[in-house]
Amino acid sequence: MVLNFTLLFLFILLGVTGIFLFNEEKKKYHVLLILSLLFYLFIAKIAFLILIVFSILVFESGKHLHKLPGKIHYFVIIALCLTPLLIDKIYLTSKLQTSDYFKLIGISYVSFNGLSYLFDIKKGYLKPETNYFLLLLYLIYLPYIFIGPLHRYREIAGQFKENISLNNLNLSNGFRLVLWGLFKHFVLAQRLSITVETIFKDTGTYQGPYVYIGGFAFFLYLYCDFSSYVDIFQGVSQIFGIRLKSNFRNQVYASHSRKHFWAGWHVTLNHWFRDYFFYPLSKYFRAKWQNNILMVLTFVLIGLWHELSIKFLVWGMLNAGWILTENRWRPHFAFLPNRMRESLGIAYHIMGASFLAIIFRTNDLAGSMQALFSFNHSAAVDNWVIAKQFMYIIPPFVLMDYINRKAGEKRIDEYIGSLHMPVRWCFYLSLILLIVTMGIPTSSDAYYVRF
């Protein structure tokens, strides 16, 4: 299912029109709920019914959670809530990849949002919602159902009730994020995908260092592709006055360690596993070696969340092993000046991240590893195809990195909004010009939609 930008802009148009015409301030969220339901029904077809059943289960379970006798009923509810996700991961992914009739689109995000709602009620952080339609909107809100980020109910429900409005600031910030996301998607991600597909679809020809280059290109591609959609959907939501969480640190690709990387990559997913798996169990695993095992298990689950496969099991274990190794050896490099240690760390992390990106991307783990450590001297490799794509990518990537660096911890729309008006409009025109002249039309799914 390719994310259709025509449908996305239709959602914006209908949303703006509906909110403008709807008079009841406290119930403007009904407009977004109706549109989210209609668009999901159009895209997912019969799987829409599973979503409704799931939402009713979460709603009713939340109301009665504190009345349940013992823990067995609580665990039964959690198991039932996980059932659609497990069906999708275990059965549908392998059996129905080519079928458009039955797809649990966005079920990972729906399931995890629903579970966090129940967990927070159980912990006493949240009172059960009595308005089913408000909870349903939380579960199916279109701007984050496909690709995240994950949200906690207590962070977003109040915005649905209080913040929905159309004003100049919301419209300006929203369209800035949408434009920024379109630039990253069409100019950077789509061009990087050409290099990735060229190498990984022909590992018989592209071997040895070329596979490593493919891993590096995919590492950059995954950031540009994933974060571009997050920017776009953040922008769409901001137009209506809803502020979604950021899922990436601005320069996460320039991390100086694996721990630093994970602190800024897919942040809401990592925080979900931290808060609902690692922290609750860590009180029972107090010894350092036990804590390390728990961290390995956490990363294994993060890997298997993507896909129940050997490659993601390996990928999760390697991430955990990398961080544990860093923790062990970091004190030995304390003598280096901070700036040198950081610069060397960025180079070292990119090298390691490119290797893990090969595992993440490949459809044939053994074949890709064999290709990585082989070299076909007789193959006719067209180096110019790969070099040309990187030549196209470098200038806009430098522009993106410059903006990310200048923005620092600010969200991009806030940084751009702080610029003087002539500079701001020159920036807008530059992005539009780059999209028109260098952009490549989308021909495949956003990579993270499949998870």
Side-chain angles (χ1 to χ4, degrees), residues 119-325:
F119 290 151
D120 285 351
I121 290 175
K122 185 67 175 177
K123 292 179 177 181
Y125 299 154
L126 189 66
K127 291 183 178 180
E129 178 57 65
T130 58
N131 184 338
Y132 168 71
F133 296 109
L134 194 61
L135 180 66
L136 180 59
L137 177 58
Y138 162 69
L139 293 174
I140 198 176
Y141 185 46
L142 190 75
Y144 60 56
I145 193 173
F146 293 107
I147 206 163
L150 293 165
H151 282 78
R152 312 293 167 87
Y153 189 73
R154 62 185 183 273
E155 298 168 343
I156 199 78
Q159 293 194 62
F160 288 145
K161 290 188 289 188
E162 305 290 342
N163 290 13
I164 296 177
S165 65
L166 302 175
N167 56 54
N168 289 338
L169 182 61
N170 286 338
L171 291 171
S172 297
N173 284 341
F175 280 111
R176 284 170 193 148
L177 281 169
V178 170
L179 181 61
W180 181 245
L182 292 175
F183 158 70
K184 286 162 68 175
H185 175 74
F186 287 113
V187 178
L188 289 169
Q190 292 303 297
R191 286 197 171 275
L192 283 163
S193 71
I194 294 175
T195 301
V196 173
E197 294 303 313
T198 299
I199 292 173
F200 281 95
K201 282 189 175 180
D202 189 8
T203 51
T205 300
Y206 293 96
Q207 296 185 345
Y210 294 103
V211 179
Y212 206 85
I213 292 170
F216 171 66
F218 182 73
F219 170 62
L220 298 181
Y221 160 78
L222 200 58
Y223 166 76
C224 293
D225 183 61
F226 193 1
S227 68
S228 72
Y229 278 103
V230 172
D231 290 336
I232 290 167
F233 284 122
Q234 273 187 319
V236 171
S237 198
Q238 187 65 55
I239 288 170
F240 306 130
I242 306 298
R243 185 181 178 90
L244 298 185
K245 298 182 74 171
S246 295
N247 220 16
F248 296 93
R249 187 176 63 249
N250 283 337
Q251 282 187 295
V252 66
Y253 47 83
S255 300
H256 51 73
S257 70
R258 199 58 176 176
K259 184 176 181 180
H260 185 224
F261 171 82
W262 277 108
W265 177 270
H266 209 338
V267 174
T268 57
L269 178 69
N270 302 330
H271 286 181
W272 195 97
F273 278 100
R274 179 197 67 187
D275 294 343
Y276 299 119
F277 180 78
F278 185 86
Y279 282 169
L281 292 180
S282 62
K283 59 186 176 183
Y284 304 109
F285 297 86
R286 297 184 181 277
K288 186 175 181 180
W289 67 271
Q290 293 174 328
N291 208 259
N292 289 343
I293 290 175
L294 184 57
M295 191 178 77
V296 173
L297 288 175
T298 303
F299 272 101
V300 165
L301 286 177
I302 291 174
L304 296 179
W305 172 87
H306 292 84
E307 180 184 287
L308 295 177
S309 65
I310 294 297
K311 76 169 185 177
F312 277 107
L313 173 65
V314 171
W315 180 82
M317 294 179 70
L318 288 175
N319 272 284
W322 189 351
I323 291 176
L324 291 175
T325 303

Side-chain angles (χ1 to χ4, degrees), residues 37-196:
L37 287 169
L38 289 175
F39 276 71
Y40 194 91
L41 176 61
F42 175 77
I43 295 169
K45 303 178 179 65
I46 196 172
F48 172 82
L49 298 177
I50 293 180
L51 186 68
I52 297 300
V53 172
F54 176 84
S55 66
I56 293 172
L57 172 63
V58 172
F59 179 69
E60 292 298 328
S61 299
K63 289 197 299 183
H64 302 288
L65 208 56
H66 65 286
K67 304 175 186 177
L68 296 176
K71 292 187 177 181
I72 185 67
H73 298 85
Y74 172 66
F75 290 126
V76 169
I77 288 172
I78 299 306
L80 287 173
C81 290
L82 281 170
T83 300
L85 177 61
L86 293 175
I87 291 174
D88 180 65
K89 295 295 184 184
I90 296 172
Y91 182 74
L92 296 181
T93 300
S94 59
K95 301 295 183 184
L96 296 175
Q97 282 183 330
T98 59
S99 172
D100 288 327
Y101 181 67
F102 189 83
K103 286 188 177 181
L104 297 173
I105 296 168
I107 195 62
S108 292
Y109 298 103
V110 175
S111 298
F112 275 30
N113 279 336
L115 287 170
S116 72
Y117 168 77
L118 295 178
F119 290 151
D120 285 351
I121 290 175
K122 185 67 175 177
K123 292 179 177 181
Y125 299 154
L126 189 66
K127 291 183 178 180
E129 178 57 65
T130 58
N131 184 338
Y132 168 71
F133 296 109
L134 194 61
L135 180 66
L136 180 59
L137 177 58
Y138 162 69
L139 293 174
I140 198 176
Y141 185 46
L142 190 75
Y144 60 56
I145 193 173
F146 293 107
I147 206 163
L150 293 165
H151 282 78
R152 312 293 167 87
Y153 189 73
R154 62 185 183 273
E155 298 168 343
I156 199 78
Q159 293 194 62
F160 288 145
K161 290 188 289 188
E162 305 290 342
N163 290 13
I164 296 177
S165 65
L166 302 175
N167 56 54
N168 289 338
L169 182 61
N170 286 338
L171 291 171
S172 297
N173 284 341
F175 280 111
R176 284 170 193 148
L177 281 169
V178 170
L179 181 61
W180 181 245
L182 292 175
F183 158 70
K184 286 162 68 175
H185 175 74
F186 287 113
V187 178
L188 289 169
Q190 292 303 297
R191 286 197 171 275
L192 283 163
S193 71
I194 294 175
T195 301
V196 173

